[in-house]
Amino acid sequence: MNSQLILKSFFPFQAGFAIDGSHLPKVTDAEVQLMREQFDVLTSENCLKASNVHPQENVYEFAAADALLDFAEKNGIEVIGHCLVWHQRCPEWFFDDDGKPASREKILDRLRLHIHTLLKRYRGRIAGWDVVNEAIADKGEYLRDTKWVQNVGEDFLEKAFEFAHEADPEMPLFYNDYNIELPDKRERTLRLLKHLQSRGVRMDAVGIQGHWQLDQVPFDEIEKAIVAYHALGLKVMITELDIDVVERPDCGADVSAHRAYSLKEDPYRESCPPEILQKQAEQYAKLFAIFNKHREKITRVTFWGLHDGRSWLNHWPGVRTNHALLFDRQCRAKPALAAIAATMS
Ligand code: G3I
């Protein structure tokens, strides 16, 4: 038994977690029980990213995603597809034409086929898609300077939403990004979302990822962001929540940044001290007090991992032992679960 407190019974929004399709063959009975007991919905952490599912032109690797869908259905869990366009995991072939840069038309044709193939294959089995992930620049500029902007133009975003909508007109579609609660990036995100709305694209929700760090959670800005995005007529989702407890060197958001960590930089290898878990619980509770206050604006809160042992923060920005989620490596509830439950009752 994992816990008497059941997220999906006291959350006023859907309770979600992310899982990598490649983890599935190795999940334990306790993990399956945790998923079934606590959560309504899972997000495909990696297996539907273009680099995983469509590594070369006309070559699709569906096995991991198919297995994830079968598993979710068997266990009564909904699935969110993540993500159709993300510069970080977009294979080079999209932009290449026999060694020369592909034309805008060719890239858009490929994008259209990619999106149609995925949406049609999983029609009726996926409950919503992150269409574009992380298109806003971290600082200064409006959009991130990627091959999508360079080789297609800023309208690659509206094209992606347009293709998704034409592939499945009923499908809920989301824009997803990190740090978009912070004032500067928030302003540019509002600009983008308003622009997409003015172009008439179907867009149902904005996903605030929520990769936060202990003692640095920007509570006030998170609340302002929820209000501002909802004011555009969009639903708000917290899509990749975790609170990192290990101090992080300044490494931006480069998911490929990897290096070895000394014991000093990986202080909780054996276990996480109770006072840190307590602090984390208080900060999760404060966060969920905000989510609860705005419960009519928020439709889903998804944690980026099932439990501490399955969090990406054990591998980024290097191999370390992190404790960022609500359940520990044995699937036991951490103090944060009770703290959240108390704040929401
Ligand atoms: O599957 C291989 C495994 O065979 C190999 O032994 C191992 C060695 O490093 O790598 C494994 O692949 C890794 C994969 O995660 C599965 O664990 C990749 O190297 C690693 O780059 C990949 O990282 C994922 C990352 O996105 C990049 O795709 C993380 O799991 C995933 O949590 C992370 O998720 C992103 C969201 O999509 C977007 N927002 C930020 C978030 C965190 O970076």
Side-chain angles (χ1 to χ4, degrees):
M1 185 62 202
N2 299 303
S3 166
Q4 296 305 316
L5 297 169
I6 305 293
L7 286 177
K8 65 182 181 187
S9 71
F10 67 79
F11 266 17
F13 17 72
Q14 281 196 304
F17 68 100
I19 187 158
D20 188 344
S22 69
H23 290 173
L24 273 188
K26 291 167 265 172
V27 290
T28 63
D29 291 348
E31 288 177 315
V32 175
Q33 190 188 345
L34 185 66
M35 296 179 208
R36 293 172 58 112
E37 260 179 17
Q38 294 284 341
F39 297 98
D40 305 292
V41 56
L42 67 79
T43 299
S44 61
E45 185 172 354
N46 290 312
C47 62
L48 285 167
K49 290 171 180 169
S51 55
N52 297 53
V53 76
H54 198 176
Q56 293 169 45
E57 188 159 30
N58 304 319
V59 176
Y60 290 90
E61 305 276 0
F62 289 124
D66 287 355
L68 191 73
L69 266 293
D70 291 347
F71 174 86
E73 278 162 12
K74 191 170 146 216
N75 289 289
I77 301 170
E78 267 188 18
V79 177
I80 300 298
H82 171 87
C83 45
L84 295 169
V85 183
W86 184 27
H87 64 286
Q88 285 269 5
R89 285 296 181 269
C90 179
E92 278 301 307
W93 65 258
F94 265 94
F95 305 105
D96 178 79
D97 190 359
D98 272 338
K100 297 190 297 291
S103 66
R104 168 185 155 93
E105 289 65 37
K106 188 159 193 121
I107 300 169
L108 286 175
D109 282 349
R110 288 168 167 168
L111 179 63
R112 184 170 184 278
L113 185 60
H114 173 74
I115 290 177
H116 274 244
T117 303
L118 293 186
L119 266 81
K120 287 175 179 163
R121 181 178 181 89
Y122 296 119
R123 190 179 206 137
R125 304 182 70 195
I126 285 189
W129 274 96
D130 290 335
V131 178
V132 181
N133 190 43
E134 303 176 6
I136 306 281
D138 285 324
K139 292 203 178 80
E141 300 296 309
Y142 172 39
L143 295 184
R144 192 183 291 280
D145 187 24
T146 63
K147 287 201 168 167
W148 287 105
V149 172
Q150 292 158 12
N151 300 6
V152 175
E154 291 186 351
D155 66 345
F156 84 89
L157 281 124
E158 62 201 69
K159 291 290 177 197
F161 277 92
E162 192 183 302
F163 297 152
H165 184 52
E166 72 188 19
D168 184 350
E170 304 303 320
M171 180 58 68
L173 304 176
F174 320 134
Y175 177 74
N176 193 52
D177 211 331
Y178 66 87
N179 283 353
I180 57 171
E181 63 282 4
L182 301 180
D184 173 55
K185 208 163 166 182
R186 187 170 77 223
E187 285 317 308
R188 286 176 288 125
T189 306
L190 286 166
R191 175 178 159 195
L192 171 67
L193 298 175
K194 283 181 197 164
H195 172 73
L196 292 173
Q197 289 179 323
S198 76
R199 302 290 297 160
V201 303
R202 172 170 184 161
M203 181 178 41
D204 300 82
V206 56
I208 299 172
Q209 291 187 1
H211 293 296
W212 289 306
Q213 293 179 70
L214 196 68
D215 295 333
Q216 296 178 44
V217 184
F219 296 105
D220 293 346
E221 302 305 340
I222 292 167
E223 180 161 17
K224 286 182 198 158
I226 293 167
V227 171
Y229 294 137
H230 183 259
L232 295 184
L234 294 168
K235 293 171 193 150
V236 178
M237 295 167 170
I238 309 299
T239 51
E240 304 189 12
L241 181 55
D242 41 36
I243 298 184
D244 184 341
V245 298
V246 183
E247 234 174 82
R248 191 187 292 178
D250 184 22
C251 45
D254 181 359
V255 291
S256 58
H258 278 275
R259 68 177 175 87
Y261 279 81
S262 65
L263 188 55
K264 197 165 152 257
E265 293 169 300
D266 182 14
Y268 310 136
R269 272 188 206 175
E270 298 305 322
S271 65
C272 190
E275 62 276 16
I276 298 289
L277 293 179
Q278 187 50 36
K279 236 191 207 198
Q280 183 188 46
E282 287 159 14
Q283 293 176 27
Y284 261 123
K286 195 166 167 190
L287 201 49
F288 275 83
I290 295 170
F291 298 161
N292 199 29
K293 180 173 164 196
H294 296 285
R295 56 200 293 162
E296 82 291 351
K297 305 180 181 70
I298 297 174
T299 52
R300 171 167 58 91
V301 175
T302 289
F303 293 84
W304 206 240
L306 177 66
H307 60 66
D308 287 344
R310 293 207 180 269
S311 160
W312 72 293
L313 290 168
N314 295 306
H315 308 284
W316 181 88
V319 177
R320 311 182 303 166
T321 309
N322 220 315
H323 306 264
L325 297 165
L326 299 190
F327 300 94
D328 69 14
R329 287 163 168 76
Q330 281 71 46
C331 298
R332 294 173 306 208
K334 292 164 61 188
L337 181 65
I340 292 173
T343 202
M344 301 194 72
S345 59

